[in-house]
Amino acid sequence: MNRCFLLVFALISSVLINAQVKEVNPPDYIKTITFRSETSDLGELPILKLGETFYLEFDALVPTEPDFYYKIEHYDYDWTESALVRTEFLLGVDNFRIQDYTNSFNTFQMYSHYKLSIPNAQTRGLKVSGNYLLSIFDSDDQLVFSRKLMIYEDIVIPGIQVRRSRNVQTINETQTVDIEINVNSTITNPKQTVKVFIAQNRNLNTAITGVEPQFILGNKLIYRYVDKTAFYGGNEYLFMETKDVRAATNGVQAIELKDIYHSYLFTNGARAHLPYTFNPDINGQFKITAIDRDDVSIEADYVQVHFSLKYPELTNGEDIYIYGNFNNYALEAYNKMTFNTKSGLYETNFKLKQGFYNYKHVILKPDNTLDEGRISGNYWQTENNYKVLVYFRALGARFDRIIGFNEVSSVNITN
């Protein structure tokens, strides 16, 4: 009996240890989670050079000033916990309270704005490149939310070319990412030691991983697959702007002041069977902005934004969601749309901080697979952003490094 118990315990422990970590999305009172560096806004998918200072910022929409603590963990390429102990990847210590926070000023919605900088007095830096998970806890040591970030070394710069699909069956809907990496003599056996990661528009849900080089020509690793590095093109994102809460701006049909301002957007419709039309977007991103405000981090207000979609009611267990980088492409109860039998529209509403937002309507099937293109369509001409990370683990090494990063736009897509 004891031997059986130990065997079961060992198997369960092995599964837990080797499980891929997933991001935990925040509760409803936590909003506007963003990363930025000293030079740019990073949105919800931070990719930073080793040694670069970065900041995590978020709002707590409560009248009190809750305490939050942070923890940093290192992970391998496949997001399983690495073999490194904390002192091997962290200079200093973590698990300290976030001390930089400020109350909102002159807003209808009260909130506190929190800002965590890395490095800081306690956490003086990250020692190695690779995947990291930054977790935020409350004063009861309960996990509030977590976010992934990638730290890279500037050793190689992958060449990226976005092309129209070479698969004739999907030629009008997909884009293929071709990659070429020049490596030096220290990188041996690249089919086993080198891996690439490809993300479209900062969306980890659709990222492609685990692709080996198709060809090795001298010191060049070449990825020219037909389907393995192909993405559905999607469509240009929808957008709306609430920088002025007292006036209807881009995408806003009407406004109303209740407990806070409410913005009612124009009703969207399906675009899947319409001809492709170029409409410049920011590839799913969002930017906090407000007119007549000096510091939008604490002076921008929150707006209850009302979305509507004209689409036939789905009766087969499928659901429609609104998502984008503003909520880390999450599928939660608040951004799920419900069908209003009186209006004949899908509707939902939730709070967003004043700003400019990209978003899209997607369908979640009963088997939990996501259909991003059924409502908005998939077009090979769509302008998308693609990011490529190069991971490397030397033979005998104990963790995966990120030795290169590059990004391109598909605005100049070729055949």
Side-chain angles (χ1 to χ4, degrees), residues 199-325:
Q200 181 192 67
N201 300 331
R202 303 171 182 261
N203 189 350
L204 290 177
N205 297 328
T206 60
I208 294 175
T209 62
V211 183
E212 296 179 354
Q214 188 178 19
F215 309 108
I216 301 177
L217 298 178
N219 64 341
K220 291 185 178 180
L221 310 182
I222 299 173
Y223 303 74
R224 291 180 183 167
Y225 289 97
V226 174
D227 296 318
K228 282 188 176 182
T229 57
F231 291 82
Y232 280 102
N235 202 343
E236 308 300 343
Y237 280 80
L238 300 168
F239 64 90
M240 65 90 182
E241 188 173 43
T242 57
K243 67 179 181 180
D244 186 354
V245 293
R246 295 161 296 183
T249 52
N250 290 328
V252 179
Q253 184 178 26
I255 58 173
E256 184 180 13
L257 177 58
K258 298 180 182 179
D259 54 335
I260 63 173
Y261 278 98
H262 289 241
S263 290
Y264 300 85
L265 306 186
F266 286 99
T267 299
N268 296 313
R271 299 179 289 161
H273 302 294
L274 299 176
Y276 170 78
T277 301
F278 176 68
N279 187 21
D281 63 8
I282 53 175
N283 293 320
Q285 274 280 68
F286 68 98
K287 183 174 180 60
I288 303 305
T289 179
I291 64 170
D292 301 327
R293 297 291 185 268
D294 295 324
D295 184 357
V296 294
S297 66
I298 58 171
E299 295 182 51
D301 212 334
Y302 274 84
V303 180
Q304 195 77 21
V305 182
H306 296 253
F307 299 83
S308 59
L309 171 70
K310 186 174 179 59
Y311 198 77
E313 183 179 10
L314 300 174
T315 58
N316 57 353
E318 295 178 320
D319 294 308
I320 297 178
Y321 290 82
I322 294 174
Y323 80 178
N325 202 238

Side-chain angles (χ1 to χ4, degrees), residues 21-269:
V21 68
K22 294 184 178 180
E23 293 175 314
V24 173
N25 291 310
D28 191 53
Y29 74 94
I30 299 293
K31 300 288 187 183
T32 320
I33 301 171
T34 58
F35 285 90
R36 65 178 181 87
S37 68
E38 294 181 321
T39 57
S40 65
D41 293 329
L42 301 168
E44 281 268 20
L45 180 59
I47 299 175
L48 300 118
K49 189 174 180 179
L50 184 62
E52 186 177 7
T53 299
F54 68 92
Y55 307 90
L56 168 69
E57 301 185 35
F58 61 93
D59 295 336
L61 277 61
V62 289
T64 58
E65 300 170 347
D67 290 334
F68 295 103
Y69 301 78
Y70 67 95
K71 181 180 179 182
I72 301 173
E73 297 169 291
H74 188 268
Y75 287 83
D76 284 329
Y77 166 79
D78 58 359
W79 288 102
T80 58
E81 193 168 358
S82 75
L84 299 182
V85 297
R86 194 165 301 275
T87 54
E88 292 180 288
F89 64 80
L90 194 65
L91 184 62
V93 293
D94 58 355
N95 202 22
F96 269 81
R97 183 172 66 89
I98 300 176
Q99 301 179 31
D100 187 354
Y101 60 89
T102 311
N103 293 329
S104 60
F105 174 72
N106 199 25
T107 59
F108 285 97
Q109 172 65 61
M110 296 178 61
Y111 62 90
S112 296
H113 179 76
Y114 291 78
K115 179 180 175 181
L116 169 66
S117 62
I118 302 292
N120 57 48
Q122 290 78 33
T123 306
R124 299 191 299 277
L126 304 176
K127 292 182 178 180
V128 299
S129 63
N131 291 337
Y132 285 86
L133 186 74
L134 179 57
S135 301
I136 304 299
F137 294 84
D138 62 19
S139 56
D140 295 322
D141 203 29
Q142 297 297 309
L143 179 62
V144 179
F145 69 89
S146 61
R147 286 294 180 262
K148 294 177 178 179
L149 59 148
M150 294 82 159
I151 307 296
Y152 70 92
E153 304 168 56
D154 197 8
I155 296 176
V156 301
I157 301 176
I160 311 169
Q161 180 69 58
V162 183
R163 300 183 182 276
R164 191 175 180 181
S165 176
R166 291 181 283 268
N167 185 334
V168 295
Q169 295 181 339
T170 60
I171 191 171
N172 292 321
E173 300 177 335
T174 56
Q175 300 172 344
T176 298
V177 181
D178 290 348
I179 304 169
E180 188 172 294
I181 306 171
N182 288 310
V183 297
N184 56 43
S185 58
T186 62
I187 298 178
T188 59
N189 198 9
K191 275 192 172 288
Q192 293 185 1
T193 59
V194 176
K195 298 180 177 67
V196 296
F197 162 94
I198 313 169
Q200 181 192 67
N201 300 331
R202 303 171 182 261
N203 189 350
L204 290 177
N205 297 328
T206 60
I208 294 175
T209 62
V211 183
E212 296 179 354
Q214 188 178 19
F215 309 108
I216 301 177
L217 298 178
N219 64 341
K220 291 185 178 180
L221 310 182
I222 299 173
Y223 303 74
R224 291 180 183 167
Y225 289 97
V226 174
D227 296 318
K228 282 188 176 182
T229 57
F231 291 82
Y232 280 102
N235 202 343
E236 308 300 343
Y237 280 80
L238 300 168
F239 64 90
M240 65 90 182
E241 188 173 43
T242 57
K243 67 179 181 180
D244 186 354
V245 293
R246 295 161 296 183
T249 52
N250 290 328
V252 179
Q253 184 178 26
I255 58 173
E256 184 180 13
L257 177 58
K258 298 180 182 179
D259 54 335
I260 63 173
Y261 278 98
H262 289 241
S263 290
Y264 300 85
L265 306 186
F266 286 99
T267 299
N268 296 313

